Amino acid sequence: MQPLNWGIVSTGRIAEQFVSDMAAVNNGIVHAVAARKLTDAQAFAQRHNIDKAYGSYQSLFEDQDVDVIYIGTPHTFHFQQARDAILAGKHVLCEKPITVSSEQCRQLSTLAKSRGVYLMEAMWTYFLPAIQQAKAWVDEGRIGTIKHVKADFGYPIEYNPNSREYNADLAGGCLLDMGIYPIAIASYFLNRNIDYWHVNAELAPNGVDKDVIMLAEFGEAKATLATSFQCKLNNYAYIIGDKGYIALHDFWRAKSCELYHLEERVDYFEDNRTTFGFNYEAEAVGKDILSGKTESEVVTHDRSLWLQQQMERVKTFF
Amino acid sequence: MQPLNWGIVSTGRIAEQFVSDMAAVNNGIVHAVAARKLTDAQAFAQRHNIDKAYGSYQSLFEDQDVDVIYIGTPHTFHFQQARDAILAGKHVLCEKPITVSSEQCRQLSTLAKSRGVYLMEAMWTYFLPAIQQAKAWVDEGRIGTIKHVKADFGYPIEYNPNSREYNADLAGGCLLDMGIYPIAIASYFLNRNIDYWHVNAELAPNGVDKDVIMLAEFGEAKATLATSFQCKLNNYAYIIGDKGYIALHDFWRAKSCELYHLEERVDYFEDNRTTFGFNYEAEAVGKDILSGKTESEVVTHDRSLWLQQQMERVKTFF
C-alpha cells in the first residue's frame, strides 16, 4: 500500500519534532509544509528534505498529493485551519487542545463526519508504549480497582502578557496548554464521566491562569491533578489501585512505567525509543486512514469533546 | 549532667521502636515500663534491659526515679494518661495525635503549664535530619518562594470495624492515624494559618474515614494532601517553590532529601542512620528538659492545638 502523504501546518517547535519523528513511521511520509512566510516553509523543507513548501495554508490544503494534514499552530488557529483543511477534503490530525471551546469542537466533528474525512486531536500520550503497557497492567488487574489518579504537569514560564502562554487572545493559560494532559490521563484510565470538580486557580495580573489544582470525582475514584506556569511540578502520573500502583515519570511523554506492590517495584517497562514519541500517534492515524476509518477508537471525537467540556467546567472556578 | 530517666507507657510496636532508638540517645535512658498486664511489661523490660516493669500506669507515674514519660498507646488513651502523668509531676512526650479533640489538647496544655512540667506531642518527623536539611535549603532560598506542598501518606488496611484503625470508639480513621503527617509537614514548611480547606472523603461502612483528599490554602501557597487506608500512596512530600523543589521520599520517616532545579538534582542529603529515627526527638526533648524548658520550640503547644483544630475542620467535610 502507498504510504500516506502528510502536509504540515506550522514550522514551530512542535512541528519540528513531529516531522523528525515521521522518519520512524512506516506508513507515511512528509510531502509538503506550509507557513505564513514562504521563506520559513522553505527553510523547514530544506532541513527535513520535504518536497514542497508553501507560503499559505490554503495552497497546502489544495495540494492534490497531500492526504492528511498535521496542524501544529497555537490553539486559537486550530479551528479555522482544521475547518479549511476538512473543507478541502483532507484528513486532519490537530494538536491539542483541538479547539478552545466545546462548541468549536462539536462543529469540527460534525463537519468532518459530513465530509467523510478523518479528524483526530493529537493526544499523542495515549499512543505511547509505556501508557499502553500501563493500561494493560490495569486491565490485567495488577493494581486492583483504581481509586486514585494523580498527575501534575508544570513548568515555570515567566510572566509576559505578550507571550503565547500568557496572551488571553491566544487562549493562553496553563490549563489549556498543559492542564489538558493531567485531565486526559485521568480520563484514559478512569474512562467514565466526572461527577464533580473542585478547582483552585491562581491568575496572572492579566487574568490568565498560571496555576490550577483540580480535584475530580469519577464515581468512587478520585483524581488530583495540577498544572502550573509558576513551578516545575514533579510531573509524574500515579495510577493507584487498592492492590498496587503504577508510576509514570514525565507521563505526558512517558518512556517507561513502573508497577509497585507496596514498597516493591514488581514490574518495569521501558520503550528505549530514540524519537520524541510522535511517531506512535502518526502511525496509528495512518493505519486508521489506510483502513478507511474516519475516527480514531482511542481519541474519539466524543473524547475530544469531553476534554473541552471538562476544561470549560474547570474554568468556571477561575 | 545526669541523663534523664524515661518511663514508657505501652508495650506496643511504636513503644518497641522508640525504646530501641533510646540506645542512640546520649541524654536519657529507659528506666521503667508499664502495661495493663504486668507480664507484658516484664517481657518488654527483659527484651530491652529495662530496670523496672509495672502492671499499672499509675505506679509508673508515681515512680520517683522517673523524670519523663513517653506515651505510646492508641489515641483515645492519650488524654487521660498524659493528664495523670502531669498530675504526678512528670514531664510528658505523647504520641501523635496528642489528643482526639482541640478541647482536650487545650486542657492538657493548661494543666502542664500550671504544673510547670514539659509536654510535647511526639511529631518526630520534624526532628529528622533530612527534614531539618530541607528546611535549611528553604531558608537559604534555594527553591525560591514556596507555592505548593504536596504530601501523601497511605497504606492499605483491610476493613475490620473491630480493629483500632477502623474502630470509631478508639478514634479510628486514616485522618487522625496518618493524615496528621501530611498536614504537619505542610504546616512546618508553610508555617502560617490555613485560610481555606476543601476536602473529599470516603467513609467505611461504619462511618470511619478510609480515604481523605485535602486541598488547603496557606495565603498564596497551596497544599494538596492525601491519606488512605484503601491504597498504598506514593508517600512522598514535595516542597515546591518557584525556583526549585525538594522531594522527600517516605517523608514521615525521611532518611534523605533531594533538591531539584528543573530536571536536575542539584543537591542531596542522606542521614545514613541505623535507627528508626525516634532518637532525634527523644534527644531534643531531653535537651529541653535538662535546660529547664517546659515547651518545645519546634512542637509548641500552639502547634499541637493548631493541628487538632485543622483536623476538626477537615472532619466537618465528612
Side-chain angles (χ1 to χ4, degrees), chain B residues 146-186:
Chain B
I146 299 179
K147 300 289 185 180
H148 289 279
V149 172
K150 289 170 184 280
D152 285 1
F153 191 12
Y155 272 99
I157 296 178
E158 208 173 335
Y159 178 59
N160 172 0
N162 298 317
S163 67
R164 179 185 71 76
E165 288 87 353
Y166 282 102
N167 187 327
D169 294 337
L170 293 178
C174 58
L175 175 67
L176 258 67
D177 213 50
M178 300 196 288
I180 190 173
Y181 281 102
I183 299 172
I185 201 83

mmCIF file of all heavy atoms in Angstrom, chain B residues 146-186:
data_model
loop_
_atom_site.group_PDB
_atom_site.id
_atom_site.type_symbol
_atom_site.label_atom_id
_atom_site.label_comp_id
_atom_site.label_asym_id
_atom_site.label_seq_id
_atom_site.Cartn_x
_atom_site.Cartn_y
_atom_site.Cartn_z
ATOM 1 N N ILE B 146 7.867 29.328 48.254
ATOM 2 C CA ILE B 146 7.071 28.092 48.208
ATOM 3 C C ILE B 146 5.672 28.399 47.680
ATOM 4 O O ILE B 146 4.999 29.312 48.160
ATOM 5 C CB ILE B 146 6.956 27.433 49.594
ATOM 6 C CG1 ILE B 146 8.340 27.047 50.119
ATOM 7 C CG2 ILE B 146 6.052 26.192 49.532
ATOM 8 C CD1 ILE B 146 8.315 26.406 51.504
ATOM 9 N N LYS B 147 5.269 27.623 46.664
ATOM 10 C CA LYS B 147 3.928 27.772 46.088
ATOM 11 C C LYS B 147 3.047 26.572 46.412
ATOM 12 O O LYS B 147 1.829 26.701 46.477
ATOM 13 C CB LYS B 147 4.025 27.908 44.563
ATOM 14 C CG LYS B 147 4.851 29.105 44.090
ATOM 15 C CD LYS B 147 4.132 30.405 44.359
ATOM 16 C CE LYS B 147 4.914 31.580 43.767
ATOM 17 N NZ LYS B 147 4.213 32.854 44.041
ATOM 18 N N HIS B 148 3.673 25.412 46.514
ATOM 19 C CA HIS B 148 2.909 24.184 46.757
ATOM 20 C C HIS B 148 3.629 23.272 47.735
ATOM 21 O O HIS B 148 4.855 23.140 47.670
ATOM 22 C CB HIS B 148 2.763 23.358 45.471
ATOM 23 C CG HIS B 148 1.860 23.953 44.457
ATOM 24 N ND1 HIS B 148 0.502 23.834 44.530
ATOM 25 C CD2 HIS B 148 2.115 24.676 43.353
ATOM 26 C CE1 HIS B 148 -0.046 24.459 43.495
ATOM 27 N NE2 HIS B 148 0.906 24.989 42.768
ATOM 28 N N VAL B 149 2.849 22.630 48.574
ATOM 29 C CA VAL B 149 3.337 21.469 49.305
ATOM 30 C C VAL B 149 2.397 20.318 48.957
ATOM 31 O O VAL B 149 1.173 20.484 49.005
ATOM 32 C CB VAL B 149 3.359 21.706 50.827
ATOM 33 C CG1 VAL B 149 3.685 20.413 51.573
ATOM 34 C CG2 VAL B 149 4.376 22.785 51.187
ATOM 35 N N LYS B 150 2.992 19.207 48.566
ATOM 36 C CA LYS B 150 2.193 18.017 48.271
ATOM 37 C C LYS B 150 2.702 16.914 49.164
ATOM 38 O O LYS B 150 3.912 16.721 49.261
ATOM 39 C CB LYS B 150 2.376 17.589 46.823
ATOM 40 C CG LYS B 150 1.726 18.551 45.865
ATOM 41 C CD LYS B 150 2.114 18.264 44.428
ATOM 42 C CE LYS B 150 1.506 19.306 43.534
ATOM 43 N NZ LYS B 150 0.096 19.052 43.244
ATOM 44 N N ALA B 151 1.804 16.212 49.803
ATOM 45 C CA ALA B 151 2.236 15.120 50.675
ATOM 46 C C ALA B 151 1.127 14.090 50.785
ATOM 47 O O ALA B 151 -0.031 14.445 50.996
ATOM 48 C CB ALA B 151 2.606 15.649 52.061
ATOM 49 N N ASP B 152 1.522 12.843 50.605
ATOM 50 C CA ASP B 152 0.578 11.731 50.702
ATOM 51 C C ASP B 152 1.081 10.747 51.742
ATOM 52 O O ASP B 152 2.301 10.523 51.848
ATOM 53 C CB ASP B 152 0.515 10.960 49.375
ATOM 54 C CG ASP B 152 -0.254 11.711 48.308
ATOM 55 O OD1 ASP B 152 -0.714 12.831 48.576
ATOM 56 O OD2 ASP B 152 -0.363 11.165 47.191
ATOM 57 N N PHE B 153 0.163 10.160 52.458
ATOM 58 C CA PHE B 153 0.532 9.077 53.363
ATOM 59 C C PHE B 153 -0.629 8.094 53.386
ATOM 60 O O PHE B 153 -1.667 8.377 53.986
ATOM 61 C CB PHE B 153 0.839 9.623 54.757
ATOM 62 C CG PHE B 153 1.467 8.620 55.690
ATOM 63 C CD1 PHE B 153 1.961 7.409 55.234
ATOM 64 C CD2 PHE B 153 1.587 8.904 57.042
ATOM 65 C CE1 PHE B 153 2.555 6.498 56.101
ATOM 66 C CE2 PHE B 153 2.176 7.994 57.917
ATOM 67 C CZ PHE B 153 2.656 6.787 57.440
ATOM 68 N N GLY B 154 -0.437 6.958 52.723
ATOM 69 C CA GLY B 154 -1.493 5.952 52.681
ATOM 70 C C GLY B 154 -0.940 4.550 52.642
ATOM 71 O O GLY B 154 0.070 4.295 51.971
ATOM 72 N N TYR B 155 -1.572 3.680 53.382
ATOM 73 C CA TYR B 155 -1.267 2.246 53.366
ATOM 74 C C TYR B 155 -2.575 1.484 53.395
ATOM 75 O O TYR B 155 -3.490 1.874 54.117
ATOM 76 C CB TYR B 155 -0.433 1.839 54.591
ATOM 77 C CG TYR B 155 1.039 1.987 54.356
ATOM 78 C CD1 TYR B 155 1.714 3.106 54.822
ATOM 79 C CD2 TYR B 155 1.755 1.023 53.651
ATOM 80 C CE1 TYR B 155 3.066 3.265 54.585
ATOM 81 C CE2 TYR B 155 3.111 1.169 53.425
ATOM 82 C CZ TYR B 155 3.765 2.286 53.884
ATOM 83 O OH TYR B 155 5.102 2.432 53.648
ATOM 84 N N PRO B 156 -2.653 0.408 52.613
ATOM 85 C CA PRO B 156 -3.903 -0.355 52.658
ATOM 86 C C PRO B 156 -4.059 -1.091 53.994
ATOM 87 O O PRO B 156 -3.135 -1.779 54.433
ATOM 88 C CB PRO B 156 -3.754 -1.338 51.490
ATOM 89 C CG PRO B 156 -2.299 -1.413 51.198
ATOM 90 C CD PRO B 156 -1.679 -0.138 51.659
ATOM 91 N N ILE B 157 -5.189 -0.888 54.614
ATOM 92 C CA ILE B 157 -5.515 -1.591 55.859
ATOM 93 C C ILE B 157 -6.923 -2.132 55.679
ATOM 94 O O ILE B 157 -7.872 -1.361 55.501
ATOM 95 C CB ILE B 157 -5.427 -0.633 57.076
ATOM 96 C CG1 ILE B 157 -3.978 -0.147 57.242
ATOM 97 C CG2 ILE B 157 -5.927 -1.324 58.344
ATOM 98 C CD1 ILE B 157 -3.774 0.831 58.378
ATOM 99 N N GLU B 158 -7.024 -3.434 55.682
ATOM 100 C CA GLU B 158 -8.302 -4.073 55.377
ATOM 101 C C GLU B 158 -9.369 -3.667 56.386
ATOM 102 O O GLU B 158 -9.094 -3.511 57.580
ATOM 103 C CB GLU B 158 -8.123 -5.592 55.381
ATOM 104 C CG GLU B 158 -9.108 -6.287 54.467
ATOM 105 C CD GLU B 158 -8.807 -7.769 54.355
ATOM 106 O OE1 GLU B 158 -7.638 -8.165 54.574
ATOM 107 O OE2 GLU B 158 -9.747 -8.525 54.054
ATOM 108 N N TYR B 159 -10.577 -3.523 55.883
ATOM 109 C CA TYR B 159 -11.672 -3.087 56.739
ATOM 110 C C TYR B 159 -12.018 -4.124 57.792
ATOM 111 O O TYR B 159 -12.320 -5.271 57.477
ATOM 112 C CB TYR B 159 -12.915 -2.791 55.897
ATOM 113 C CG TYR B 159 -14.104 -2.368 56.734
ATOM 114 C CD1 TYR B 159 -14.022 -1.239 57.555
ATOM 115 C CD2 TYR B 159 -15.295 -3.085 56.706
ATOM 116 C CE1 TYR B 159 -15.101 -0.845 58.323
ATOM 117 C CE2 TYR B 159 -16.382 -2.693 57.473
ATOM 118 C CZ TYR B 159 -16.278 -1.583 58.285
ATOM 119 O OH TYR B 159 -17.345 -1.191 59.052
ATOM 120 N N ASN B 160 -11.939 -3.701 59.037
ATOM 121 C CA ASN B 160 -12.362 -4.529 60.162
ATOM 122 C C ASN B 160 -12.838 -3.568 61.237
ATOM 123 O O ASN B 160 -12.023 -2.883 61.864
ATOM 124 C CB ASN B 160 -11.183 -5.373 60.661
ATOM 125 C CG ASN B 160 -11.521 -6.102 61.952
ATOM 126 O OD1 ASN B 160 -12.643 -5.979 62.482
ATOM 127 N ND2 ASN B 160 -10.573 -6.857 62.473
ATOM 128 N N PRO B 161 -14.148 -3.487 61.433
ATOM 129 C CA PRO B 161 -14.677 -2.466 62.347
ATOM 130 C C PRO B 161 -14.185 -2.636 63.781
ATOM 131 O O PRO B 161 -14.315 -1.714 64.598
ATOM 132 C CB PRO B 161 -16.190 -2.639 62.247
ATOM 133 C CG PRO B 161 -16.416 -3.977 61.637
ATOM 134 C CD PRO B 161 -15.214 -4.306 60.818
ATOM 135 N N ASN B 162 -13.611 -3.813 64.093
ATOM 136 C CA ASN B 162 -13.118 -4.035 65.455
ATOM 137 C C ASN B 162 -11.641 -3.688 65.631
ATOM 138 O O ASN B 162 -11.133 -3.676 66.748
ATOM 139 C CB ASN B 162 -13.336 -5.497 65.853
ATOM 140 C CG ASN B 162 -14.812 -5.837 65.858
ATOM 141 O OD1 ASN B 162 -15.634 -5.057 66.333
ATOM 142 N ND2 ASN B 162 -15.147 -6.978 65.273
ATOM 143 N N SER B 163 -10.955 -3.419 64.516
ATOM 144 C CA SER B 163 -9.537 -3.073 64.644
ATOM 145 C C SER B 163 -9.411 -1.641 65.158
ATOM 146 O O SER B 163 -10.323 -0.832 64.990
ATOM 147 C CB SER B 163 -8.853 -3.201 63.283
ATOM 148 O OG SER B 163 -9.359 -2.215 62.393
ATOM 149 N N ARG B 164 -8.280 -1.348 65.754
ATOM 150 C CA ARG B 164 -8.042 0.014 66.243
ATOM 151 C C ARG B 164 -8.256 1.031 65.129
ATOM 152 O O ARG B 164 -8.896 2.063 65.313
ATOM 153 C CB ARG B 164 -6.608 0.139 66.778
ATOM 154 C CG ARG B 164 -6.264 1.544 67.277
ATOM 155 C CD ARG B 164 -4.808 1.673 67.696
ATOM 156 N NE ARG B 164 -3.865 1.654 66.579
ATOM 157 C CZ ARG B 164 -3.645 2.676 65.746
ATOM 158 N NH1 ARG B 164 -4.304 3.812 65.887
ATOM 159 N NH2 ARG B 164 -2.770 2.562 64.764
ATOM 160 N N GLU B 165 -7.744 0.723 63.926
ATOM 161 C CA GLU B 165 -7.777 1.691 62.820
ATOM 162 C C GLU B 165 -9.197 2.056 62.395
ATOM 163 O O GLU B 165 -9.440 3.185 61.983
ATOM 164 C CB GLU B 165 -7.010 1.156 61.609
ATOM 165 C CG GLU B 165 -5.501 1.130 61.786
ATOM 166 C CD GLU B 165 -4.998 -0.151 62.434
ATOM 167 O OE1 GLU B 165 -5.834 -0.972 62.880
ATOM 168 O OE2 GLU B 165 -3.769 -0.335 62.501
ATOM 169 N N TYR B 166 -10.112 1.082 62.451
ATOM 170 C CA TYR B 166 -11.476 1.328 61.958
ATOM 171 C C TYR B 166 -12.487 1.459 63.098
ATOM 172 O O TYR B 166 -13.682 1.560 62.844
ATOM 173 C CB TYR B 166 -11.896 0.182 61.027
ATOM 174 C CG TYR B 166 -11.310 0.267 59.636
ATOM 175 C CD1 TYR B 166 -10.233 -0.520 59.254
ATOM 176 C CD2 TYR B 166 -11.847 1.151 58.687
ATOM 177 C CE1 TYR B 166 -9.699 -0.441 57.973
ATOM 178 C CE2 TYR B 166 -11.316 1.232 57.408
ATOM 179 C CZ TYR B 166 -10.247 0.433 57.056
ATOM 180 O OH TYR B 166 -9.724 0.513 55.796
ATOM 181 N N ASN B 167 -12.016 1.434 64.332
ATOM 182 C CA ASN B 167 -12.947 1.483 65.466
ATOM 183 C C ASN B 167 -13.246 2.938 65.834
ATOM 184 O O ASN B 167 -12.356 3.678 66.261
ATOM 185 C CB ASN B 167 -12.314 0.735 66.644
ATOM 186 C CG ASN B 167 -13.277 0.585 67.798
ATOM 187 O OD1 ASN B 167 -14.120 1.461 68.029
ATOM 188 N ND2 ASN B 167 -13.156 -0.515 68.517
ATOM 189 N N ALA B 168 -14.501 3.324 65.665
ATOM 190 C CA ALA B 168 -14.883 4.716 65.945
ATOM 191 C C ALA B 168 -14.658 5.059 67.418
ATOM 192 O O ALA B 168 -14.253 6.177 67.751
ATOM 193 C CB ALA B 168 -16.343 4.945 65.561
ATOM 194 N N ASP B 169 -14.864 4.093 68.311
ATOM 195 C CA ASP B 169 -14.695 4.360 69.747
ATOM 196 C C ASP B 169 -13.235 4.585 70.125
ATOM 197 O O ASP B 169 -12.935 5.174 71.155
ATOM 198 C CB ASP B 169 -15.251 3.195 70.576
ATOM 199 C CG ASP B 169 -16.757 3.072 70.423
ATOM 200 O OD1 ASP B 169 -17.396 4.085 70.070
ATOM 201 O OD2 ASP B 169 -17.275 1.958 70.637
ATOM 202 N N LEU B 170 -12.334 4.105 69.270
ATOM 203 C CA LEU B 170 -10.897 4.331 69.511
ATOM 204 C C LEU B 170 -10.374 5.464 68.620
ATOM 205 O O LEU B 170 -9.186 5.562 68.356
ATOM 206 C CB LEU B 170 -10.107 3.044 69.242
ATOM 207 C CG LEU B 170 -10.366 1.863 70.195
ATOM 208 C CD1 LEU B 170 -9.550 0.641 69.771
ATOM 209 C CD2 LEU B 170 -10.006 2.242 71.636
ATOM 210 N N ALA B 171 -11.295 6.316 68.157
ATOM 211 C CA ALA B 171 -10.918 7.445 67.278
ATOM 212 C C ALA B 171 -10.199 6.950 66.038
ATOM 213 O O ALA B 171 -9.188 7.507 65.622
ATOM 214 C CB ALA B 171 -10.075 8.476 68.035
ATOM 215 N N GLY B 172 -10.733 5.878 65.448
ATOM 216 C CA GLY B 172 -10.134 5.330 64.229
ATOM 217 C C GLY B 172 -10.311 6.264 63.050
ATOM 218 O O GLY B 172 -10.894 7.340 63.152
ATOM 219 N N GLY B 173 -9.771 5.789 61.905
ATOM 220 C CA GLY B 173 -9.851 6.601 60.680
ATOM 221 C C GLY B 173 -8.474 7.019 60.238
ATOM 222 O O GLY B 173 -7.570 7.212 61.049
ATOM 223 N N CYS B 174 -8.320 7.172 58.925
ATOM 224 C CA CYS B 174 -6.994 7.480 58.391
ATOM 225 C C CYS B 174 -6.558 8.910 58.685
ATOM 226 O O CYS B 174 -5.376 9.197 58.757
ATOM 227 C CB CYS B 174 -6.922 7.167 56.899
ATOM 228 S SG CYS B 174 -8.131 8.024 55.886
ATOM 229 N N LEU B 175 -7.519 9.821 58.881
ATOM 230 C CA LEU B 175 -7.131 11.219 59.117
ATOM 231 C C LEU B 175 -6.269 11.355 60.374
ATOM 232 O O LEU B 175 -5.150 11.864 60.312
ATOM 233 C CB LEU B 175 -8.367 12.120 59.232
ATOM 234 C CG LEU B 175 -8.048 13.575 59.591
ATOM 235 C CD1 LEU B 175 -7.297 14.267 58.461
ATOM 236 C CD2 LEU B 175 -9.314 14.350 59.937
ATOM 237 N N LEU B 176 -6.792 10.886 61.505
ATOM 238 C CA LEU B 176 -6.040 11.019 62.757
ATOM 239 C C LEU B 176 -4.810 10.117 62.768
ATOM 240 O O LEU B 176 -3.781 10.463 63.338
ATOM 241 C CB LEU B 176 -6.926 10.688 63.970
ATOM 242 C CG LEU B 176 -7.438 11.922 64.730
ATOM 243 C CD1 LEU B 176 -8.397 12.709 63.872
ATOM 244 C CD2 LEU B 176 -8.063 11.539 66.049
ATOM 245 N N ASP B 177 -4.925 8.963 62.135
ATOM 246 C CA ASP B 177 -3.854 7.984 62.213
ATOM 247 C C ASP B 177 -2.666 8.364 61.341
ATOM 248 O O ASP B 177 -1.518 8.293 61.768
ATOM 249 C CB ASP B 177 -4.402 6.622 61.769
ATOM 250 C CG ASP B 177 -3.715 5.500 62.517
ATOM 251 O OD1 ASP B 177 -3.647 5.580 63.753
ATOM 252 O OD2 ASP B 177 -3.243 4.557 61.851
ATOM 253 N N MET B 178 -2.932 8.751 60.099
ATOM 254 C CA MET B 178 -1.847 9.034 59.158
ATOM 255 C C MET B 178 -1.964 10.432 58.560
ATOM 256 O O MET B 178 -0.965 11.041 58.223
ATOM 257 C CB MET B 178 -1.855 7.982 58.041
ATOM 258 C CG MET B 178 -1.654 6.571 58.582
ATOM 259 S SD MET B 178 -1.194 5.371 57.291
ATOM 260 C CE MET B 178 -2.750 5.222 56.436
ATOM 261 N N GLY B 179 -3.188 10.925 58.427
ATOM 262 C CA GLY B 179 -3.410 12.228 57.798
ATOM 263 C C GLY B 179 -2.774 13.379 58.551
ATOM 264 O O GLY B 179 -2.486 14.428 57.980
ATOM 265 N N ILE B 180 -2.525 13.158 59.827
ATOM 266 C CA ILE B 180 -1.870 14.215 60.612
ATOM 267 C C ILE B 180 -0.471 14.514 60.052
ATOM 268 O O ILE B 180 -0.013 15.658 60.119
ATOM 269 C CB ILE B 180 -1.811 13.835 62.118
ATOM 270 C CG1 ILE B 180 -1.353 15.023 62.955
ATOM 271 C CG2 ILE B 180 -0.968 12.600 62.348
ATOM 272 C CD1 ILE B 180 -1.422 14.783 64.465
ATOM 273 N N TYR B 181 0.190 13.520 59.468
ATOM 274 C CA TYR B 181 1.543 13.741 58.938
ATOM 275 C C TYR B 181 1.566 14.696 57.745
ATOM 276 O O TYR B 181 2.352 15.642 57.728
ATOM 277 C CB TYR B 181 2.191 12.417 58.557
ATOM 278 C CG TYR B 181 2.766 11.614 59.692
ATOM 279 C CD1 TYR B 181 2.093 10.525 60.216
ATOM 280 C CD2 TYR B 181 4.008 11.924 60.231
ATOM 281 C CE1 TYR B 181 2.634 9.762 61.251
ATOM 282 C CE2 TYR B 181 4.555 11.167 61.260
ATOM 283 C CZ TYR B 181 3.861 10.086 61.760
ATOM 284 O OH TYR B 181 4.405 9.340 62.768
ATOM 285 N N PRO B 182 0.757 14.454 56.710
ATOM 286 C CA PRO B 182 0.754 15.430 55.608
ATOM 287 C C PRO B 182 0.380 16.840 56.078
ATOM 288 O O PRO B 182 0.988 17.819 55.622
ATOM 289 C CB PRO B 182 -0.299 14.875 54.634
ATOM 290 C CG PRO B 182 -0.406 13.425 54.950
ATOM 291 C CD PRO B 182 -0.043 13.250 56.381
ATOM 292 N N ILE B 183 -0.586 16.944 56.997
ATOM 293 C CA ILE B 183 -0.956 18.279 57.489
ATOM 294 C C ILE B 183 0.221 18.895 58.238
ATOM 295 O O ILE B 183 0.549 20.066 58.061
ATOM 296 C CB ILE B 183 -2.209 18.210 58.402
ATOM 297 C CG1 ILE B 183 -3.407 17.667 57.622
ATOM 298 C CG2 ILE B 183 -2.527 19.587 58.987
ATOM 299 C CD1 ILE B 183 -4.640 17.380 58.490
ATOM 300 N N ALA B 184 0.884 18.067 59.046
ATOM 301 C CA ALA B 184 2.007 18.573 59.851
ATOM 302 C C ALA B 184 3.174 19.023 58.967
ATOM 303 O O ALA B 184 3.817 20.033 59.252
ATOM 304 C CB ALA B 184 2.465 17.497 60.843
ATOM 305 N N ILE B 185 3.445 18.283 57.891
ATOM 306 C CA ILE B 185 4.591 18.659 57.047
ATOM 307 C C ILE B 185 4.266 19.951 56.288
ATOM 308 O O ILE B 185 5.132 20.825 56.134
ATOM 309 C CB ILE B 185 5.026 17.516 56.100
ATOM 310 C CG1 ILE B 185 6.478 17.711 55.628
ATOM 311 C CG2 ILE B 185 4.127 17.374 54.879
ATOM 312 C CD1 ILE B 185 7.511 17.242 56.554
ATOM 313 N N ALA B 186 3.030 20.097 55.848
ATOM 314 C CA ALA B 186 2.639 21.334 55.160
ATOM 315 C C ALA B 186 2.775 22.506 56.121
ATOM 316 O O ALA B 186 3.317 23.564 55.781
ATOM 317 C CB ALA B 186 1.210 21.221 54.641
#
